[in-house]
């Protein structure tokens, strides 16, 4: 990797994590770490171009089928690929198939771009994380091996305790807050060899844990608004991304924001 390299173009592939849920803009659209990173890269590179092909709910097979060839054809300086975690969260999963599809994606993307970036995704601390931790770690071990073989960078978000803090996760317990996404953007920025602006690993200040009543109310709200609909989609074979197009399907000029 060239330290302080110039990146003239960036393509992001993946699922809701890269689409930017739950980092809401005032207009109701999602920003997320990839948009934040693109804004920062555009600030230092006139004529910068950016595409975001990620769509919520996508499994690794769908990412391979719907995003990889499109991204490879763009021949961008920088490509990020984050996928497979949705597969690990399914009640049943063939991890051998997941590893094979991820290998296929990397083998098609790595020769077509200047720098491929993979991630060990963060996870919210709690019982759900513990249940799926073995699958996640199997996925991340494979990502490390692929990166070593193909010259990709790996951003290790899984190994950062700060990103496991529930306060950096939205009420759906699946997606990062705006502050969480900002920290991810900084982690990728630093992995690219660019000058740090903050320590993204810094823990949040200590706080008193919520009381029993607050926790039970939060659990009930989570079950009603998020867990129930998620289970319903699993049972009916539907996805939150069905019929949804990427928010930035073309590698187009991207101007940095002019205001806050």
């Amino acid at each position: 990797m060239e330290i302080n390299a110039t990146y003239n173009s960036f393509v992001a592939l993946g699922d809701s994590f890269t689409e930017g849920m739950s980092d809401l803009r005032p207009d109701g659209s999602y920003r997320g770490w990839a948009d934040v990173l693109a804004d920062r890269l555009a600030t230092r590179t006139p004529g910068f171009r950016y595409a975001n092909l990620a769509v919520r709910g996508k499994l690794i097979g769908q990412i391979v089928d719907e995003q990889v060839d499109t991204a490879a054809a763009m021949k961008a300086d920088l490509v990020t690929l984050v996928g497979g975690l949705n597969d690990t969260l399914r009640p049943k999963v063939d991890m051998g198939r997941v590893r094979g599809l991820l290998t296929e994606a990397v083998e098609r993307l790595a020769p077509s771009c200047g720098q491929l970036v993979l991630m060990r995704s963060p996870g919210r601390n709690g019982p759900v994380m513990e249940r799926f931790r073995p699958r996640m770690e199997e996925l991340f071990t494979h990502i490390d091996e692929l990166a070593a073989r193909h010259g990709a960078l790996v951003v290790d978000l899984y190994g950062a305790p700060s990103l496991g803090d529930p306060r950096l996760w939205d009420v759906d317990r699946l997606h990062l807050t705006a502050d969480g996404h900002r920290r991810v953007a900084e982690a990728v920025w630093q992995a690219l060899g660019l000058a740090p602006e903050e320590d993204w690993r810094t823990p949040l200040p200590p706080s008193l844990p919520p009381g029993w009543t607050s926790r039970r109310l939060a659990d009930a709200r989570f079950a009603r608004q998020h867990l129930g609909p998620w289970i319903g989609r699993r049972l009916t074979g539907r996805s939150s991304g069905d019929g949804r197009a990427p928010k930035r399907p073309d590698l187009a000029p991207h101007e940095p924001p002019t205001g806050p």
Side-chain angles (χ1 to χ4, degrees), residues 158-216:
Y158 178 74
S162 60
L163 285 176
D165 191 318
R167 291 174 291 174
L168 287 178
W169 293 78
D170 190 58
V171 292
D172 67 1
R173 305 182 182 182
L174 286 174
H175 301 107
L176 291 168
T177 62
D179 185 23
H181 279 283
R182 180 181 54 79
R183 288 171 181 249
V184 173
E186 178 67 24
V188 181
W189 178 267
Q190 292 182 22
L192 294 173
L194 302 171
E197 294 190 5
E198 62 175 313
D199 184 357
W200 62 272
R201 297 179 179 83
T202 301
L204 294 176
S207 66
L208 292 175
W212 185 91
T213 301
S214 296
R215 294 199 307 272
R216 297 294 78 77

Side-chain angles (χ1 to χ4, degrees), residues 37-79:
L37 179 64
D39 289 346
R40 293 176 63 178
L41 292 171
T43 299
R44 69 195 300 272
T45 308
F48 180 79
R49 296 178 299 150
Y50 169 49
N52 190 321
L53 308 180
V55 175
R56 66 196 70 173
K58 294 300 182 181
L59 303 174
I60 186 61
Q62 294 169 309
I63 293 171
V64 170
D65 291 342
E66 301 168 14
Q67 301 177 27
V68 168
D69 282 346
T70 300
M74 292 176 176
K75 299 190 179 300
D77 294 333
L78 173 65
V79 170

